[in-house]
C-alpha cells in the first residue's frame, strides 16, 4: 500500500495464497529430510530444529510465535521459543546471527521508509541490526536511488521477495478511543507511530 510501488510480478503474487504447510513438508521430504522417531525432520544426522527469540513485551507476538511453533511441529520442524526482553534482543541482533537463529520483533520500515527500506536490508543500512547482506539486493537499492522512474523500485521488491531478508507477519490494527471533544486525532497519529500532539485540541 499504495500499489504504485508494486511491480507487475508483485501485483500478481499479492492475490495468491503462499502459506501451505503440506507443500512445505513435501518440499522438505523431496530434499531428503526424513522424520525420525521423535517426529522431527532429520538429514545427514542433523535435526531441523532452531530457536526463535521473541520479545516478552508483546502478547500478540508471543501468541503468533506459539502458533508458528505449532505449525512447524505439524510438519516436523522443531521450533523452540526463547522469551526475552526487547532490551536484551537489540544487543543480540548486533551479533549478526552469530548468537541467534531467528528473532521475532516488531519493527517499521525505519529509518528509510517504504517503499525501499534500504536502511533495514542494505548491507550498510543504518537499521540493519541483523547483518543481512546480499549483493543483488544492494545493487537494486543503488538502482532505485539513482535511476529515475519505478524500475529500480520494482527490481528491489522482486529481488527482496527472492532473497527474503525478513518474514513479515500479520499484525493487528490499532484502535484509538477518544472523547468527542478531542479533535485532530487523525493528524496526531500516523502509520509510522509518530505522534504530532500539536494537532490535538479540545472543544467545549
Amino acid at each position: 500500500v499504495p500499489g504504485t510501488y508494486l511491480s507487475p510480478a508483485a501485483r500478481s503474487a499479492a492475490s495468491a495464497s503462499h502459506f501451505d504447510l503440506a507443500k512445505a513438508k513435501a518440499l522438505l521430504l523431496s530434499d531428503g529430510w526424513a522424520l525420525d522417531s521423535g517426529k522431527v525432520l532429520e538429514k545427514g544426522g542433523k535435526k531441523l530444529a532452531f530457536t526463535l527469540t521473541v520479545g516478552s513485551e508483546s502478547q500478540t507476538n508471543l501468541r503468533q510465535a506459539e502458533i508458528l511453533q505449532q505449525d512447524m511441529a505439524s510438519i516436523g520442524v522443531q521450533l523452540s521459543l526463547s522469551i526475552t526482553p526487547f532490551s536484551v534482543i537489540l544487543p543480540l541482533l548486533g551479533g549478526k546471527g552469530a548468537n541467534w537463529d531467528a528473532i521475532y520483533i516488531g519493527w517499521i520500515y525505519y529509518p528509510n521508509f517504504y517503499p525501499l527500506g534500504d536502511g533495514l536490508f542494505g548491507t550498510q543500512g543504518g537499521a540493519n541490526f541483523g547483518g543481512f547482506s546480499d549483493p543483488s539486493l544492494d545493487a537494486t537499492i543503488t538502482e532505485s536511488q539513482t535511476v529515475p522512474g519505478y524500475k529500480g523500485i520494482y527490481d528491489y521488491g522482486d529481488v527482496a521477495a527472492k532473497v527474503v531478508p525478513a518474514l513479515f507477519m500479520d499484525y493487528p490494527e490499532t484502535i484509538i478511543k477518544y472523547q468527542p471533544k478531542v479533535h485532530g486525532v487523525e493528524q496526531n497519529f500516523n502509520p509510522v507511530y509518530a505522534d504530532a500532539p500539536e494537532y490535538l485540541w479540545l472543544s467545549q
Side-chain angles (χ1 to χ4, degrees):
V1 179
T4 311
Y5 300 121
L6 293 178
S7 71
R11 288 174 201 231
S12 62
S15 60
S17 176
H18 301 286
F19 184 76
D20 189 330
L21 288 168
K23 183 177 179 181
K25 185 175 183 179
L27 284 170
L28 289 165
L29 293 173
S30 69
D31 190 48
W33 292 87
L35 288 172
D36 65 10
S37 58
K39 306 274 186 187
V40 176
L41 289 167
E42 190 175 281
K43 179 180 176 182
K46 187 175 178 102
K47 290 183 183 293
L48 190 47
F50 65 99
T51 299
L52 175 63
T53 301
V54 186
S56 58
E57 293 81 5
S58 170
Q59 290 302 308
T60 300
N61 288 0
L62 289 173
R63 298 292 81 80
Q64 284 187 320
E66 289 170 349
I67 292 170
L68 283 172
Q69 185 180 44
Q70 293 169 11
D71 285 344
M72 295 297 101
S74 74
I75 62 170
V77 179
Q78 183 179 314
L79 174 61
S80 301
L81 301 180
S82 172
I83 314 302
T84 308
F86 186 71
S87 59
V88 175
I89 287 178
L90 283 180
L92 282 178
L93 281 167
K96 302 191 183 307
N99 53 349
W100 51 271
D101 296 330
I103 291 182
Y104 188 154
I105 59 171
W107 205 258
I108 58 175
Y109 250 66
Y110 170 87
N112 305 84
F113 296 114
Y114 184 82
L116 294 179
D118 52 296
L120 284 175
F121 305 134
T123 299
Q124 301 300 323
N128 185 359
F129 301 117
F132 181 85
S133 179
D134 184 271
S136 60
L137 195 60
D138 287 342
T140 62
I141 287 171
T142 299
E143 178 192 7
S144 67
Q145 294 173 334
T146 57
V147 179
Y150 289 114
K151 183 180 181 301
I153 293 173
Y154 290 169
D155 290 346
Y156 168 79
D158 290 344
V159 171
K162 291 176 184 171
V163 301
V164 194
L167 296 176
F168 293 95
M169 307 302 296
D170 290 329
Y171 205 77
E173 293 187 24
T174 299
I175 297 174
I176 301 173
K177 293 184 177 183
Y178 57 96
Q179 295 289 342
K181 65 181 181 179
V182 178
H183 304 275
V185 175
E186 293 84 357
Q187 293 80 20
N188 168 65
F189 186 82
N190 67 56
V192 294
Y193 300 105
D195 289 320
E198 65 273 18
Y199 288 107
L200 295 175
W201 60 279
L202 293 174
S203 61
Q204 296 298 323

